[in-house]
């Protein structure tokens, strides 16, 4: 029986043209696509005229769903895993599924192949335009909302590297104000709605950037703080 393959496929973070030729090839050939929001992935597939069965998977998916996906892979199916945007596993539930398959691979002789199909990610797109030295950086994803938040912020006072984090429009100003208390005079770059119609890149001191973001808080944000 042929080996099952899980392709971990990066998809656009906004502009639908930001997808690789290899990602399109894989999406066309697989047996089905595992995604977070079926409506969002349908739009992408429709844009590229790809007709494919979609299976939803999110962080609250039951064990039964994971078992079903694993069984398909064990039966030799080729499956693509995508997230709502960017690279699966980078701050979205894709990582949990890949981890589950890795564990199963350790326990069984018949291995399921896991193949990355790289492409966009909001973090690397933002870093690439920050102009900050990105030979080393600390990626924090979303800061914890409550438990552990103050402790983490306190620990960051000793951090010298470039720091990257994700934030939503609802909390971006509050988070930046708290980060100002930690990083004081360090330079900031905030990227809003990358690759989309209202893409904006703000650079400067915390005060300057917060003032500009307060004027237009809509959208998705990546926050980058320069190294010390
Ligand atoms: N897997 C994604 C990736 O590879 O970047 C990240 C998923 S995470 C659930 C979603 C967060 O990523 C958003 O809240 C925002 O902070 C950031 N993000 C995603 N798309 C973005 C965009 N077009 N512009 C700016 N930030 C974005």
């Amino acid at each position: 029986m042929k080996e099952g393959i899980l392709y971990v496929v990066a998809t656009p973070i906004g502009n639908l043209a930001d997808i690789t030729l290899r990602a399109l090839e894989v999406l066309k050939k697989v047996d089905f696509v595992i995604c977070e929001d079926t409506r969002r992935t349908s739009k992408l597939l429709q844009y590229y005229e790809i007709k494919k069965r979609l299976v939803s998977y999110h962080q609250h998916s039951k064990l039964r769903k994971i078992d079903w996906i694993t069984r398909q892979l064990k039966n030799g199916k080729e499956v693509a895993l995508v997230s709502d945007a960017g690279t699966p596993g980078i701050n979205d539930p894709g990582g949990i599924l890949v981890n589950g398959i890795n564990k199963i691979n350790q326990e069984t002789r018949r291995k399921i192949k896991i193949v990355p199909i790289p492409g966009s990610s909001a973090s690397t797109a933002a870093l690439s335009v920050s102009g900050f030295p990105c030979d080393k950086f600390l990626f924090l994803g979303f800061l914890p909302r409550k438990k552990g938040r103050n402790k983490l912020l306190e620990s960051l006072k000793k951090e010298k590297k470039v720091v990257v984090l994700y934030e939503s429009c609802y909390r971006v100003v509050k988070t930046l104000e708290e980060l100002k208390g930690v990083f004081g005079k360090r330079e900031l770059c905030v990227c809003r709605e990358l690759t989309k119609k209202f893409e904006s890149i703000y650079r400067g001191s915390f005060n300057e950037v917060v003032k500009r973001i307060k004027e237009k808080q809509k959208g998705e944000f990546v926050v980058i703080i320069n190294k010390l």
Side-chain angles (χ1 to χ4, degrees), residues 13 83 85-87 90-92 121-123 142 166-167 191 193-194 196 220-222:
I13 56 168
S83 58
T87 301
I90 307 301
N91 254 106
D92 57 43
S121 178
S123 51
F142 292 102
Y166 286 163
E167 196 46 284
C191 299
E193 295 286 87
L194 287 169
K196 302 185 199 174
E220 299 188 282
F221 294 84
V222 182

Side-chain angles (χ1 to χ4, degrees), residues 211-225:
K211 189 168 163 243
R212 292 180 64 199
I213 288 176
K214 274 184 176 164
E215 289 161 11
K216 215 190 272 172
Q217 278 181 47
K218 282 191 187 147
E220 299 188 282
F221 294 84
V222 182
V223 174
I224 309 183
I225 299 131

